[in-house]
């Protein structure tokens, strides 16, 4: 059985632009701060294809620090790199091998500049090369200011928890997963001015046969991704996993509902 990922539409998501599902517009960048992002619809790539996605930086007044990018790529048979890196942004290059398997999930980009850190999760899906498919893959459009709205899932499941200056939120379009499949949750972290360091993610209460992994276990920006992979032998039933978002001293816990069928 070919493993697949369920639970999230194939969309591009830009951070720091408002709540999921809301009409979103670019907002002013505070002085000596920056935002970055892209704007587009779906990103679906067939085997043997390459897509280039412009990523744009918006700088607040007085922000002159160099911005560096790091990329977390959880996919097999997919090469993700950056090119044309300038003070204004970069181009994200996503190349799928011809024999890539069916996959869907997140590419997580973190930008650091000065003492600031921001994250962007690019949701992407991949499929093996189709000899009949000759239409080129199209990169998402980019808004003039580089910060825009993603296309949210049609049905959103959301839980949140707050404490010690942090609000942690999980979002998905489903909580159901079958044996052999993978369920994806977006994890969003909001911090107040008292929380500066990284946030570490961990999961407890995971039942036998339901594995968990993260796109980035330590979040230095604003967003990450949690994946739940059900084995063929996972027992059907309803479960509640505990996702912890922790600093060195404190943590908040959010419940993640999962139905294995």
């Amino acid at each position: 059985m070919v493993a697949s990922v369920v639970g999230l539409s194939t969309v591009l998501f830009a951070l720091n632009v408002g709540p999921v599902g809301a009409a979103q517009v670019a907002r002013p960048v505070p002085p000596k701060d920056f935002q970055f992002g892209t704007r587009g619809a779906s990103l679906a790539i067939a085997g043997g294809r390459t897509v280039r996605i412009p990523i744009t930086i918006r700088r607040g007044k007085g922000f002159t620090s160099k911005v560096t990018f790091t990329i977390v790529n959880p996919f097999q048979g997919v090469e993700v790199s950056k090119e044309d890196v300038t003070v204004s942004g970069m181009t994200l290059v996503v190349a799928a091998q011809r024999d890539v398997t069916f996959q869907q999930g997140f590419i997580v980009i973190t930008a650091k500049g000065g003492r600031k850190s921001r994250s962007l999760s690019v949701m992407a899906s991949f499929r093996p090369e189709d000899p009949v498919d000759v239409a080129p893959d199209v990169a998402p459009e980019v808004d003039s200011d580089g910060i825009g709205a993603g296309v949210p899932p049609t049905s959103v499941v959301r839980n949140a928890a707050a404490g010690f200056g942090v609000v942690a939120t999980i979002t998905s379009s489903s909580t159901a997963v079958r044996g052999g499949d993978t369920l994806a949750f977006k994890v969003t972290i909001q911090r107040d001015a008292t929380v500066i360091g990284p946030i570490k993610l961990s999961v407890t209460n995971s039942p036998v046969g339901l594995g968990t992994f993260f796109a980035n276990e330590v979040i230095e920006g604003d967003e990450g991704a949690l994946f739940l992979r059900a084995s063929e032998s996972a027992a059907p039933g309803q479960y509640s996993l505990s996702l912890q978002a922790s600093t060195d001293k404190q943590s908040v816990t959010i419940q993640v509902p999962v139905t294995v069928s």
Side-chain angles (χ1 to χ4, degrees), residues 54-78:
I55 305 293
T56 304
I57 299 172
R58 293 180 62 233
R59 295 172 178 265
K61 184 177 180 180
F63 183 85
T64 59
S65 298
K66 179 181 178 181
V67 176
T68 59
F69 296 96
T70 57
I71 301 170
V72 176
N73 169 26
F75 300 107
Q76 299 294 322
V78 177

Side-chain angles (χ1 to χ4, degrees), residues 96-109:
Q97 296 178 4
R98 293 185 180 277
D99 58 350
V100 67
T101 58
F102 287 100
Q103 300 174 72
Q104 181 176 335
F106 299 89
I107 299 167
V108 181
I109 310 165

Side-chain angles (χ1 to χ4, degrees), residues 28-121:
V29 182
K32 296 187 178 181
D33 199 352
F34 76 97
Q35 294 176 347
F36 81 108
T38 187
R39 185 172 193 165
S42 63
L43 175 60
I45 305 177
R49 301 294 181 85
T50 298
V51 169
R52 287 173 168 79
I53 307 165
I55 305 293
T56 304
I57 299 172
R58 293 180 62 233
R59 295 172 178 265
K61 184 177 180 180
F63 183 85
T64 59
S65 298
K66 179 181 178 181
V67 176
T68 59
F69 296 96
T70 57
I71 301 170
V72 176
N73 169 26
F75 300 107
Q76 299 294 322
V78 177
E79 181 179 352
V80 181
S81 59
K82 52 193 175 185
E83 62 181 28
D84 301 328
V85 180
T86 69
V87 295
S88 301
M90 67 149 179
T91 299
L92 182 71
V93 182
V94 185
Q97 296 178 4
R98 293 185 180 277
D99 58 350
V100 67
T101 58
F102 287 100
Q103 300 174 72
Q104 181 176 335
F106 299 89
I107 299 167
V108 181
I109 310 165
T110 299
K112 293 182 180 179
R115 301 180 64 181
K116 303 292 184 179
S117 180
R118 298 280 183 259
S119 295
L120 175 71
S121 288

Side-chain angles (χ1 to χ4, degrees), residues 138-232:
V138 179
E141 295 180 356
V142 177
D143 196 13
S144 58
D145 59 14
I147 306 295
V151 180
T154 55
S155 175
V156 175
V157 178
R158 174 182 287 187
N159 277 355
F164 71 88
V166 169
V167 178
T169 306
I170 58 166
T171 309
S172 179
S173 62
S174 175
T175 60
V177 62
R178 298 178 301 176
D181 288 350
T182 300
L183 178 65
F185 288 88
K186 185 178 75 170
V187 181
T188 303
I189 301 293
Q190 295 175 297
R191 317 160 188 244
D192 66 18
T194 65
V195 181
I196 300 175
I199 303 292
K200 183 176 181 180
L201 302 179
S202 60
V203 172
T204 59
N205 302 334
S206 181
V208 175
L210 191 63
T212 62
F213 62 100
F214 297 96
N216 47 339
E217 186 175 346
V218 176
I219 298 180
E220 297 191 15
D222 310 284
E223 185 171 302
L226 166 65
F227 297 92
L228 307 179
R229 179 173 293 160
S231 68
E232 296 285 358

